[in-house]
Amino acid sequence: MRGSVLVLLAVALAGCGGSFFSASGPTKGAILKHSDDETPPYTLVELSADTIAPYMRPREPVLTPAVSDTPMPEVKLVSGDVLRVMVSDSSIEGALFAPLSTGGTVFNKVRIDSKGNVSLPYLGRQKVSGLTLGQVEDKLRGTAAQYASDPQVHVELVSDLSGSVLVAGAVKSPGRFSALEGPLTLLDAINEAGGVLLEPHLVRVILRTGKKVETYSYQDILSGGNHPVPPRSEIIVERARQRIVAMGAVSKPGLVDLPSDNPSLLEVLGTVGGLNERTADARGVFVFRLEDNKLSSEPLAKVFRLDLRDPAAIFLARNFLVLPEDAVYVTNAHSYEFQKLISPIVQVLILGRSVDAIGN
């Protein structure tokens, strides 16, 4: 029966070799070694005290005491705005409008229709869209002068579409928010919407004003980069592409959000649960990165390697900056690969012995 055992072993290794010897990525040797006539498609950087300087985390930014300017914008009325109009007459007897001493004649909730007009008793239909409040007062005063002696007109905005700001996306309470109480900044508008749903460094803010589109990091806004928001703007709050891929012999491989604005390799490894103690090769910690090429449209590929068996490597990992879209990969230890080779052999030998026992 020994021959049948060998046949079973050969068949098992031939048919299942792909699964037994597979890994989640290249071996350490495949990354580090190339034949003399073969140029690797990437630059290998062995991280050390002499090579880490260009790849270190930046220092924490200095806090700025400056606050955002909040200039009062000139609001021009649009369809949908609601006005409160007061018209008074200096005459007492036979006047169409009440005197100013009694508060004048007030028209509440005067809405600008879809054609930009308002309709008022005696004053008729008036085109007001595109005008400021002061211009509307002058226009109505001119019309009221036909029916009143020295008329006074006061117009105020009680519900504004023209000065409001729309906030949408990754906020708690998206919606349209009024600027009646004063001009809004990016932080004002986002706070009115209940704040963001993600960590600040994971948020990107898009501001559309009708004339241009601008993009901001929410972390930068909090650090002093707040900006005023023009009327009728739209603010979109969305998840920034601040992710890396963790692969190989780590405890929690997968697509991972960066743990901070400028994370170190040590932080990232901590986020994914560190190296897998049973399978990882501490000598094979790699970071794969594509960088912009100033001389060509083709990106530059770099592979950084760190040997965590060296105690000094912990300090290097603490200072090495991990960028969005990096891939952090830890190779398997040789002992684990050997175990994957031996396990199927042992299983086949046990199976063969069982077959032999049944035959006897």
Side-chain angles (χ1 to χ4, degrees):
M1 296 297 293
R2 183 177 298 174
S4 63
V5 171
L6 294 177
V7 171
L8 285 172
L9 178 60
V11 170
L13 293 179
C16 304
S19 61
F20 286 139
F21 302 116
S22 64
S24 60
T27 64
K28 180 174 59 123
I31 300 172
L32 298 178
K33 295 179 181 179
H34 290 271
S35 60
D36 294 338
D37 58 348
E38 182 182 0
T39 302
Y42 52 82
T43 301
L44 181 64
V45 180
E46 294 279 358
L47 289 176
S48 67
D50 296 327
T51 62
I52 196 174
Y55 312 108
M56 291 181 64
R57 300 171 67 191
R59 297 181 178 223
E60 290 293 327
V62 178
L63 297 178
T64 173
V67 296
S68 174
D69 293 332
T70 52
M72 180 64 72
E74 184 180 56
V75 176
K76 294 187 177 182
L77 301 176
V78 298
S79 296
D81 284 344
V82 179
L83 308 176
R84 180 180 183 273
V85 181
M86 186 279 297
V87 184
S88 67
D89 194 338
S90 59
S91 298
I92 299 178
E93 295 183 2
L96 291 177
F97 305 106
L100 186 60
S101 59
T102 62
T105 299
V106 177
F107 304 100
N108 288 309
K109 297 182 179 179
V110 179
R111 183 177 296 276
I112 303 175
D113 64 23
S114 60
K115 296 181 179 180
N117 299 320
V118 294
S119 181
L120 296 166
Y122 303 108
L123 302 181
R125 188 173 297 277
Q126 301 283 337
K127 180 80 170 181
V128 297
S129 64
L131 302 181
T132 65
L133 291 176
Q135 291 171 332
V136 174
E137 289 177 347
D138 292 340
K139 186 171 185 177
L140 296 181
R141 188 180 297 112
T143 304
Q146 303 174 25
Y147 310 100
S149 174
D150 190 22
Q152 300 297 312
V153 177
H154 176 70
V155 179
E156 62 179 294
L157 196 58
V158 295
S159 177
D160 66 329
L161 182 63
S162 54
S164 63
V165 172
L166 176 67
V167 183
V171 291
K172 293 180 181 178
S173 304
R176 186 172 289 278
F177 300 95
S178 171
L180 286 177
E181 297 181 2
L184 295 174
T185 65
L186 286 171
L187 281 181
D188 290 330
I190 293 172
N191 288 339
E192 288 279 353
V196 300
L197 298 175
L198 304 168
E199 291 292 327
H201 69 280
L202 298 176
V203 175
R204 184 174 75 154
V205 178
I206 300 172
L207 174 63
R208 287 197 290 260
T209 66
K211 296 181 179 179
K212 59 182 178 179
V213 178
E214 296 178 326
T215 303
Y216 303 94
S217 161
Y218 188 62
Q219 183 73 57
D220 292 342
I221 294 174
L222 292 177
S223 300
N226 197 15
H227 295 273
V229 180
R232 301 186 66 192
S233 293
E234 295 180 353
I235 298 172
I236 310 300
V237 180
E238 64 179 17
R239 175 186 287 275
R241 294 182 62 86
Q242 299 287 322
R243 294 179 173 181
I244 58 99
V245 176
M247 302 172 57
V250 294
S251 297
K252 295 183 288 185
L255 189 63
V256 182
D257 286 327
L258 292 180
S260 64
D261 194 26
N262 293 303
S264 69
L265 179 56
L266 197 62
E267 281 183 273
V268 170
L269 289 175
T271 301
V272 298
L275 276 60
N276 188 313
E277 293 185 1
R278 185 175 64 89
T279 64
D281 182 357
R283 298 170 300 176
V285 178
F286 295 91
V287 177
F288 291 76
R289 176 177 301 169
L290 290 177
E291 296 182 348
D292 291 334
N293 190 343
K294 297 180 180 179
L295 302 178
S296 170
S297 59
E298 292 294 327
L300 294 174
K302 288 187 178 180
V303 178
F304 304 90
R305 184 226 180 182
L306 189 65
D307 183 354
L308 281 180
R309 294 183 311 169
D310 182 359
I314 299 297
F315 298 100
L316 296 175
R318 183 177 180 273
N319 287 293
F320 180 79
L321 175 65
V322 176
L323 299 178
E325 310 299 327
D326 280 355
V328 177
Y329 174 62
V330 180
T331 58
N332 288 331
H334 291 305
S335 58
Y336 178 69
E337 294 294 337
F338 182 72
Q339 180 183 352
K340 290 200 298 181
L341 172 65
I342 293 299
S343 295
I345 297 177
V346 172
Q347 292 172 6
V348 170
L349 289 176
I350 294 174
L351 176 61
R353 179 171 295 181
S354 300
V355 171
D356 192 17
I358 293 173
N360 293 331

